[in-house]
Amino acid sequence: MKNSKQFIQRLLSPAGISLNGSEDYDIQVRNSGLYDDLLAGGSLALGEAYVRGDWDCRSVDQLIERVLRADLPKKFSGIGNAEVLKHVLLSKLTNRQTRSRSRIVGKEHYDVGNDLYEAMLGRTTAYTCGYWKGLEATPKNLDAAQESKLELVCKKIGLKEGDKVLDIGCGWGSFAEYAAKRHGAKVVGITISKEQVELGMKRCEGLPVELRLQDYRDVDEKFDHIVSLGMFEHVGPRNYREYMKKSRDCLKDDGLFLLHTIGSNTSTARGDPWLGKYIFQGGVLPSIQQIGKASEGVVTMEDWHNFSTDYDKTLIAWQANFENAWPALKATGKYDEAFKRKWDYYLKMCAGTFRARTNQLWQIVFSKDGVNGGYESFR
């Protein structure tokens, strides 16, 4: 165990991280078995050990940022080989985002509790990156940042009163409600979460909005525009081209399709092992190359906008809301301390990835065959 501790410390040293050090980003070890666990399980074991309480850190987001900026994942690449190999093989040999498998993340993540998401996400219940341009990055401005994002989407697709819009992965109806109320649009939203449909339809009562429990592959209608905000991460590389073809089939000839997705700097067939096991089953972040290959010859790219550092701000605001709401959430009896630690790790870890610029946030606008006269970009 002593040798394991020394080995782990040597690996962490290039990032300036110390075991039981005094900095906010240092790892505080609560269980000495952590060292051997990390050698056996790598990044998956790191997250699992945090949830168990085997280690703490005053600022997990800073820790993850330092780990990524020092490129430590490559140095750790030989650790936890068995688990990583299993994950890689599953990704390569199977389609982990089939219709039946896609429902798992709906049930296990999005249906975990509307009370949790309403408390964490704020008034809009938008579970995607806000647009913080011109706003101070504080939790009190989260709702404004989300509305700014929704308005940006409407401008980018040129939304007009009476337009019929398909929202692929509609969540709790944040875009549908906004587009209908502010722009007079008619919106059909689809999701794989029963809880999202239930709450979303309540939010959109009296508006020209229909939210459906439906897989995107089963849509067979024409729309003036299509938006997809934070759903493409669940599609999977094996299905990217089918997704693009379905979007083209459902789009009117002069319509626009806006894809809002987290992106990766590298092409891969698998997601993070811990996130894939405990948060987003089957989730994979697309790369520029993968999106380009999937869309080539299917749709025309008109605009590509990266505002990934805004996701760091959004995640920190969500985590602050979650922390403030925790006493009330805990009192319901539905969520225990292990859940709190899992959620803390998830939100702070993801914030660190965007701050380190290893994860991106893209809004991409596509047309079917090119906009006559060119497309006007909005920022």
Side-chain angles (χ1 to χ4, degrees), residues 191-359:
T191 175
I192 54 172
S193 165
K194 293 180 181 179
E195 293 292 324
Q196 288 183 337
V197 170
E198 182 179 336
L199 179 58
M201 285 308 298
K202 289 179 181 178
R203 291 172 56 94
C204 297
E205 188 174 357
L207 296 172
V209 170
E210 178 189 1
L211 303 185
R212 305 173 184 166
L213 190 66
Q214 187 176 30
D215 189 282
Y216 70 92
R217 286 161 282 209
D218 297 326
V219 180
D220 187 21
E221 300 162 60
K222 292 286 187 180
F223 296 87
D224 295 295
H225 301 293
I226 300 173
V227 301
S228 182
L229 312 181
M231 179 272 177
F232 196 64
E233 301 89 334
H234 298 299
V235 170
R238 287 174 174 262
N239 307 304
Y240 288 161
R241 194 158 180 85
E242 180 184 6
Y243 180 93
M244 291 295 179
K245 288 180 177 178
K246 173 57 70 172
S247 299
R248 180 183 174 88
D249 289 345
C250 291
L251 191 63
K252 291 184 179 178
D253 288 345
D254 59 349
L256 293 173
F257 164 39
L258 185 142
L259 179 65
H260 171 119
T261 181
I262 300 172
S264 172
N265 291 338
T266 57
S267 299
T268 181
R270 62 185 176 90
D272 176 83
W274 186 84
L275 284 173
K277 185 173 181 179
Y278 294 102
I279 305 296
F280 298 114
Q281 287 208 21
V284 182
L285 301 184
S287 69
I288 290 174
Q289 181 186 60
Q290 288 170 322
I291 293 174
K293 185 176 180 180
S295 60
E296 183 177 338
V298 180
V299 287
T300 300
M301 193 278 288
E302 300 285 355
D303 188 52
W304 198 304
H305 183 189
N306 186 344
F307 53 99
S308 57
T309 55
D310 282 18
Y311 224 143
D312 177 14
K313 301 168 187 175
T314 304
L315 284 153
I316 293 301
W318 287 347
Q319 202 282 327
N321 285 349
F322 174 65
E323 190 71 34
N324 290 335
W326 177 246
L329 292 170
K330 183 180 179 181
T332 66
K334 295 193 297 182
Y335 313 101
D336 58 15
E337 288 298 326
F339 180 89
K340 183 179 188 300
R341 291 186 67 87
K342 178 175 76 169
W343 223 248
D344 280 339
Y345 188 74
Y346 151 52
L347 295 172
K348 293 177 182 177
M349 179 186 74
C350 289
T353 67
F354 287 101
R355 201 176 306 159
R357 300 306 309 280
T358 56
N359 282 352

Side-chain angles (χ1 to χ4, degrees), residues 51-282:
V51 174
R52 289 195 305 268
D54 290 350
W55 65 277
D56 275 309
C57 177
R58 288 192 294 272
S59 182
V60 171
D61 49 318
Q62 289 187 51
L63 168 68
I64 297 300
E65 179 190 10
R66 282 180 163 265
V67 164
L68 294 173
R69 287 196 179 277
D71 209 17
L72 294 193
K74 286 186 179 178
K75 297 180 176 65
F76 276 81
S77 61
I79 297 176
N81 237 6
E83 185 64 37
V84 172
L85 180 60
K86 173 185 173 184
H87 201 60
V88 171
L89 288 174
L90 283 172
S91 299
K92 288 185 176 296
L93 298 177
T94 63
N95 183 351
R96 306 188 75 186
Q97 295 84 18
T98 61
R99 284 176 173 80
S100 59
R101 285 174 174 165
S102 69
R103 297 190 188 103
I104 296 173
V105 72
K107 182 178 180 181
E108 296 191 359
H109 185 74
Y110 295 106
D111 287 348
V112 70
N114 283 339
D115 55 347
L116 165 69
Y117 288 112
E118 286 184 287
M120 183 178 86
L121 303 178
R123 185 179 67 244
T124 65
T125 62
Y127 199 14
T128 50
C129 179
Y131 191 50
W132 293 83
K133 186 177 181 179
L135 294 169
E136 184 183 1
T138 61
K140 67 181 177 64
N141 285 331
L142 175 63
D143 292 336
Q146 292 293 7
E147 290 193 353
S148 180
K149 183 266 305 294
L150 295 172
E151 181 61 25
L152 182 67
V153 171
C154 293
K155 286 181 178 177
K156 285 183 175 183
I157 62 173
L159 190 63
K160 304 185 302 296
E161 185 174 356
D163 281 351
K164 186 178 179 182
V165 185
L166 173 64
D167 183 357
I168 304 176
C170 61
W172 292 270
S174 58
F175 172 81
E177 181 185 28
Y178 186 91
K181 277 186 176 179
R182 300 290 184 91
H183 294 274
K186 302 172 184 177
V187 185
V188 173
I190 60 171
T191 175
I192 54 172
S193 165
K194 293 180 181 179
E195 293 292 324
Q196 288 183 337
V197 170
E198 182 179 336
L199 179 58
M201 285 308 298
K202 289 179 181 178
R203 291 172 56 94
C204 297
E205 188 174 357
L207 296 172
V209 170
E210 178 189 1
L211 303 185
R212 305 173 184 166
L213 190 66
Q214 187 176 30
D215 189 282
Y216 70 92
R217 286 161 282 209
D218 297 326
V219 180
D220 187 21
E221 300 162 60
K222 292 286 187 180
F223 296 87
D224 295 295
H225 301 293
I226 300 173
V227 301
S228 182
L229 312 181
M231 179 272 177
F232 196 64
E233 301 89 334
H234 298 299
V235 170
R238 287 174 174 262
N239 307 304
Y240 288 161
R241 194 158 180 85
E242 180 184 6
Y243 180 93
M244 291 295 179
K245 288 180 177 178
K246 173 57 70 172
S247 299
R248 180 183 174 88
D249 289 345
C250 291
L251 191 63
K252 291 184 179 178
D253 288 345
D254 59 349
L256 293 173
F257 164 39
L258 185 142
L259 179 65
H260 171 119
T261 181
I262 300 172
S264 172
N265 291 338
T266 57
S267 299
T268 181
R270 62 185 176 90
D272 176 83
W274 186 84
L275 284 173
K277 185 173 181 179
Y278 294 102
I279 305 296
F280 298 114
Q281 287 208 21

Side-chain angles (χ1 to χ4, degrees), residues 359-379:
N359 282 352
Q360 310 302 326
L361 189 286
W362 300 319
Q363 280 192 354
I364 313 164
V365 178
F366 296 100
S367 64
K368 291 186 79 166
D369 299 297
V371 174
N372 285 335
Y375 174 81
E376 180 183 358
S377 298
F378 292 91
R379 297 289 185 267

